[in-house]
Amino acid sequence: MKKINKEFLWGASTSAYQCEGATDIDGKGKSVQDLTKSKEGVIDFKNTSNHYFHYKEDVALMAEMGFKSYRFSISWSRIFPKGIGEINQKGVEFYNNLIDELLKYKIEPIVTVYHFDPPLELESQGGWLNRNLMVDAFVNYSTKLFELFGDRVKYWQTINEQNMIIQVGHVIGVINPKQDNLFKKLYQINHNMLIAQALVTKKYHDMKLGGKIGPAPNISYVYADSCDPDDFDASYKANAWRNWLYLDAACHGKYNEIAWNWMLKNGYEPELLPGDLEILENGKSDFIAFNYYNTGNVKASSKTGPIKFSDSDQQTSYDVPGLFDIKDNKNLPKTEFGWSIDPKGFLHTMRAMWDRYKLPLMITENGLGAYDVVEEDGKIHDQYRINYLRAHIEQLKIAINEGIDIIGYHPWSAIDLVSTHEGIKKRYGFIYVNINDDGEGDYKRLRKDSFFWYKKVISSNGEDLI
Ligand code: BGP
């Protein structure tokens, strides 16, 4: 078995709105997430893990685990309170301090420019549907980040899970599903984001800062439910629709033809301005950061007519008439929150990306959400999380052995934080944060069993997974 490269980036991941808190101080503007209405019994994003105040302690704990890297996002409205215009020096100071703190421990900062938190001011002017406003604002914001932090940050991701924003943005709280011509609008938003991403990628390359930039979609291989050729056809199309539409644009600078023809047939195709295809062609990614939680499973489509959203979870999708029907995969166990667990699917997903793009891969999210309990001994025995991560790292090693270029692994999440729509009770971290969905708790940090396990994994460079 090939050994994992010494430079391999072992770390973990978070996002700003899910862990920082401090939404109302030090000049931060409002983001869409600050106004998200949480479900009954679920905490909002106001304080979350209060990482803004605890970042030194959190980074020290990451260093204790031996992290080589840390993937986090920058809050756009903390840097530009109105999305564009005046810059907030306190926000710049926070990220400067965080980056410097990481570098003090030789932890590589890996930055996501945009993770589900558009500034409210821009959203109220149409958001991503307002191409002129949003593309310019995104290029301006990203360029500012490269100028401010590009001397120290060498890995950049543009947009977190653009494909999930388009497919289940209503679950994440960034898309209002009750609008006329919803799908036409969604694929225009998608196009505007692809253009913004390509322009920013080109800008970063032109600035010659010596790092890498790429997208960060959620990629899940979609199986065929049977060897019926019609189910195989559905799987091929589902992969194009769910995964390759986004990655073909980012990595090949082109629209995926199956996805494009589907949009055209349904009248969902975006308006392309002259020069758009050249913009995509000139802004190709250096690597693929991707999030993996589970796989999909489909059979031949039995429906016609428009898409109907189900009350689905973030990772589960819905039938797409003319392309595929979703089928539950009975071969896979599920987490307490109903997400299927498929470590082998992780390998299939990496193989598919490698075959298609031949670009370095970096895992920026992978993990298990669970109801962790602090036992009487004051410990958190999260063996289920260790089992989950171990099984995925085993597949990662197989992929590396097959020659797939994988440069880093970042489980979700470094510390406990507030889930996209299930509150803090759905915990993912190596580090427990003492706060509950009623907002009670003192934010004390506790080391879970997985903390000590991951420390061993890192110090043995992935050899010791027991
Ligand atoms: C990813 C998002 C994260 C994170 C994770 C877990 O799709 O990028 O922001 O939240 O999923 O999802 P959830 O919080 O819904 O359990």
Side-chain angles (χ1 to χ4, degrees):
M1 196 85 161
K2 231 188 233 168
K3 286 233 176 341
I4 295 181
N5 196 309
K6 286 225 159 42
E7 279 72 54
F8 190 81
L9 295 169
W10 294 101
S13 200
T14 62
S15 89
Y17 85 96
Q18 292 173 279
C19 81
E20 283 179 3
T23 48
D24 275 342
I25 63 156
D26 286 351
K28 182 184 171 301
K30 291 244 176 302
S31 93
V32 165
Q33 296 294 353
D34 295 335
L35 267 82
T36 301
K37 271 218 172 347
S38 312
K39 285 199 297 198
E40 181 82 15
V42 160
I43 198 168
D44 59 23
F45 297 106
K46 202 166 163 32
N47 297 311
T48 66
S49 327
N50 261 342
H51 173 69
Y52 189 80
F53 303 106
H54 289 256
Y55 78 91
K56 282 196 177 178
E57 183 186 352
D58 292 338
V59 172
L61 285 163
M62 292 176 204
E64 188 183 322
M65 265 187 280
F67 276 23
K68 308 277 188 241
S69 47
Y70 170 50
R71 182 257 191 172
F72 62 96
S73 78
I74 290 183
S75 155
W76 186 344
S77 56
R78 203 181 283 291
I79 300 291
F80 287 107
K82 293 191 185 322
I84 196 145
E86 210 174 314
I87 196 159
N88 175 31
Q89 281 311 329
K90 284 269 185 199
V92 174
E93 202 180 298
F94 171 68
Y95 293 110
N96 264 330
N97 290 342
L98 174 61
I99 291 165
D100 290 345
E101 195 68 15
L102 289 165
L103 292 174
K104 184 172 113 187
Y105 294 104
K106 300 200 167 36
I107 300 175
E108 186 85 45
I110 298 178
V111 170
T112 317
V113 169
Y114 180 83
H115 192 127
F116 299 164
D117 57 353
L120 195 62
E121 186 80 21
L122 297 178
E123 195 62 26
S124 65
Q125 296 170 62
W128 282 104
L129 209 49
N130 184 343
R131 170 169 171 161
N132 286 343
L133 170 89
M134 205 63 175
V135 171
D136 283 0
F138 188 73
V139 173
N140 174 71
Y141 161 57
S142 307
T143 307
K144 191 40 106 185
L145 297 189
F146 303 151
E147 284 166 11
L148 288 166
F149 311 121
D151 56 334
R152 289 153 291 156
V153 174
K154 296 299 167 197
Y155 291 94
W156 293 91
Q157 301 146 62
T158 50
I159 301 177
N160 179 68
E161 296 197 352
Q162 183 177 329
N163 56 339
M164 292 297 106
I165 295 172
I166 302 306
Q167 290 161 31
V168 289
H170 56 296
V171 182
I172 304 163
V174 288
I175 297 286
N176 169 13
K178 296 194 179 88
Q179 329 182 29
D180 295 340
N181 295 325
L182 176 65
F183 288 91
K184 180 84 179 164
K185 287 180 182 154
L186 282 175
Y187 287 95
Q188 188 64 51
I189 289 174
N190 185 51
H191 181 70
N192 297 347
M193 284 182 159
L194 292 176
I195 291 294
Q197 171 172 271
L199 287 170
V200 160
T201 303
K202 169 144 188 0
K203 182 83 197 179
Y204 184 70
H205 289 153
D206 289 348
M207 286 171 82
K208 298 199 185 326
L209 290 163
K212 288 186 172 17
I213 186 161
N218 175 308
I219 303 297
S220 289
Y221 196 75
V222 186
Y223 298 131
D225 193 51
S226 80
C227 57
D228 178 334
D230 285 341
D231 288 350
F232 186 78
D233 180 63
S235 142
Y236 191 79
K237 288 175 174 159
N239 277 298
W241 181 88
R242 190 202 185 285
N243 300 318
W244 313 143
L245 163 58
Y246 306 89
L247 279 179
D248 284 6
C251 306
H252 290 159
K254 289 186 175 38
Y255 261 99
N256 177 279
E257 289 194 5
I258 288 178
W260 182 264
N261 289 338
W262 170 78
M263 289 189 275
L264 210 55
K265 192 167 166 208
N266 289 284
Y268 301 152
E269 81 285 2
E271 186 196 348
L272 264 57
L273 299 184
D276 276 5
L277 296 178
E278 287 71 32
I279 292 178
L280 293 181
E281 186 65 35
N282 290 330
K284 292 188 217 159
S285 309
D286 305 318
F287 75 115
I288 301 172
F290 73 101
N291 303 342
Y292 174 86
Y293 289 89
N294 46 36
T295 40
N297 186 43
V298 294
K299 64 189 199 42
S301 173
S302 64
K303 299 194 172 83
T304 53
I307 292 175
K308 283 202 188 70
F309 281 149
S310 59
D311 265 347
S312 68
D313 199 352
Q314 188 176 332
Q315 299 293 313
T316 345
S317 238
Y318 38 78
D319 299 340
V320 176
L323 291 186
F324 57 82
D325 285 2
I326 294 285
K327 271 282 278 183
D328 190 32
N329 188 341
K330 300 264 183 277
N331 300 301
L332 303 174
K334 293 204 163 66
T335 71
E336 289 177 311
F337 286 84
W339 290 19
S340 58
I341 302 178
D342 187 7
K344 285 212 173 119
F346 185 34
L347 177 61
H348 303 320
T349 300
M350 290 185 283
R351 282 176 177 162
M353 272 188 284
W354 181 246
D355 285 349
R356 206 172 170 90
Y357 305 108
K358 289 280 182 292
L359 282 175
L361 304 178
M362 178 190 282
I363 295 94
T364 38
E365 289 184 33
N366 172 232
L368 176 88
Y371 297 99
D372 293 343
V373 177
V374 185
E375 303 288 349
E376 273 170 22
D377 57 3
K379 300 206 165 125
I380 301 105
H381 301 304
D382 57 341
Q383 189 59 40
Y384 37 86
R385 181 166 295 109
I386 295 175
N387 296 343
Y388 176 100
L389 295 173
R390 178 195 294 127
H392 285 79
I393 296 173
E394 278 165 357
Q395 298 301 317
L396 178 101
K397 287 166 71 170
I398 294 174
I400 290 175
N401 197 46
E402 288 179 357
I404 302 180
D405 185 8
I406 304 171
I407 57 178
Y409 179 65
H410 303 88
W412 183 265
S413 48
I415 62 173
D416 283 346
L417 38 70
V418 177
S419 144
T420 54
H421 61 294
E422 314 250 32
I424 185 95
K425 66 173 87 57
K426 188 181 189 186
R427 292 176 185 270
Y428 282 92
F430 294 109
I431 299 163
Y432 186 91
V433 177
N434 186 34
I435 180 78
N436 65 23
D437 273 317
D438 297 324
E440 293 156 356
D442 57 7
Y443 299 99
K444 197 165 170 347
R445 272 53 176 161
L446 300 171
R447 296 164 181 80
K448 300 183 192 176
D449 285 0
S450 58
F451 178 103
F452 301 102
W453 172 81
Y454 197 42
K455 183 177 173 170
K456 261 194 328 169
V457 172
I458 299 177
S459 68
S460 65
N461 204 22
E463 291 292 305
D464 184 357
L465 299 181
I466 303 302

